[in-house]
């Protein structure tokens, strides 16, 4: 206790990599030329959940489990109110975002009915939030992930 505490994000690499890979998988489907968006809403929900949990972990050293998407977002705001700048995307979403995300945390066997504009809104949110996390984790020097990534 006499030595100053050196903060450590023990499992940050795994959480960041999972979030980044979810974003890349989302982009692969969202940006395909055939506009086949089947399952995209589940990847979007997975990304949002992964983003929030990783963001909270980086900011507070706490990794929340089993919370609603709205509770996770509230924890992100608590961890750093600067993230409020992205709330405009949440407010402009074509439907109530948090119930939509929570609904798609469970797999349903159904056809996807997303149109290009809806996918575009999702795409912007994933891009902006992933940029925020990248700046926080990689540019902030918490991980040297880019040199460690072999395209997995």
């Amino acid at each position: 206790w006499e030595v100053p505490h050196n903060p450590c994000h023990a499992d940050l690499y795994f959480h960041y990599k999972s979030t980044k890979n979810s974003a890349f998988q989302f982009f692969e489907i969202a940006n395909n030329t055939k506009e086949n968006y089947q399952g995209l809403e589940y990847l979007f929900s997975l990304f949002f959940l992964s983003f929030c949990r990783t963001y909270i972990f980086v900011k507070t050293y706490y990794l929340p489990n089993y919370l609603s998407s709205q509770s996770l977002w509230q924890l992100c705001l608590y961890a750093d109110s600067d993230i409020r700048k992205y709330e405009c995307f949440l407010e402009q979403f074509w439907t109530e975002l948090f119930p939509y995300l929570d609904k798609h945390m469970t797999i349903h066997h159904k056809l996807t009915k997303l149109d290009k504009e809806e996918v575009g809104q999702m795409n912007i949110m994933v891009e902006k939030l992933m940029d925020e996390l990248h700046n926080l984790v990689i540019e902030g020097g918490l991980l040297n992930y880019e040199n460690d990534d072999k395209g997995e």
Side-chain angles (χ1 to χ4, degrees), residues 8 12 27 46 52 56 87 91 93 112 127-128:
C8 176
L12 180 57
F27 291 138
L46 174 64
C52 287
I56 293 163
E87 285 202 318
E91 293 166 0
F93 204 67
T112 296
E127 184 180 301
K128 296 292 184 189

Side-chain angles (χ1 to χ4, degrees), residues 103-134:
K103 175 183 175 188
H104 293 98
M105 284 186 188
T106 305
I107 301 294
H108 303 278
H109 190 178
K110 66 176 188 69
L111 290 175
T112 296
K113 298 177 183 173
L114 295 170
D115 63 34
K116 196 169 188 146
E117 184 179 316
E118 293 167 343
V119 171
Q121 286 182 335
M122 296 163 99
N123 204 11
I124 289 170
M125 284 178 64
V126 171
E127 184 180 301
K128 296 292 184 189
L129 292 175
M130 195 60 225
D131 285 347
E132 177 74 21
L133 194 60
H134 174 82

Side-chain angles (χ1 to χ4, degrees), residues 60-79:
T60 67
Y61 301 93
Y62 168 67
L63 188 63
N65 290 310
Y66 309 112
L67 293 175
S68 69
S69 56
Q70 188 167 17
S71 295
L72 287 169
W73 184 251
Q74 291 297 319
L75 280 173
C76 287
L77 292 171
Y78 173 78

Side-chain angles (χ1 to χ4, degrees), residues 9 31 55 72 106 145:
H9 294 92
N31 299 319
Y55 187 85
L72 287 169
T106 305
Y145 177 84

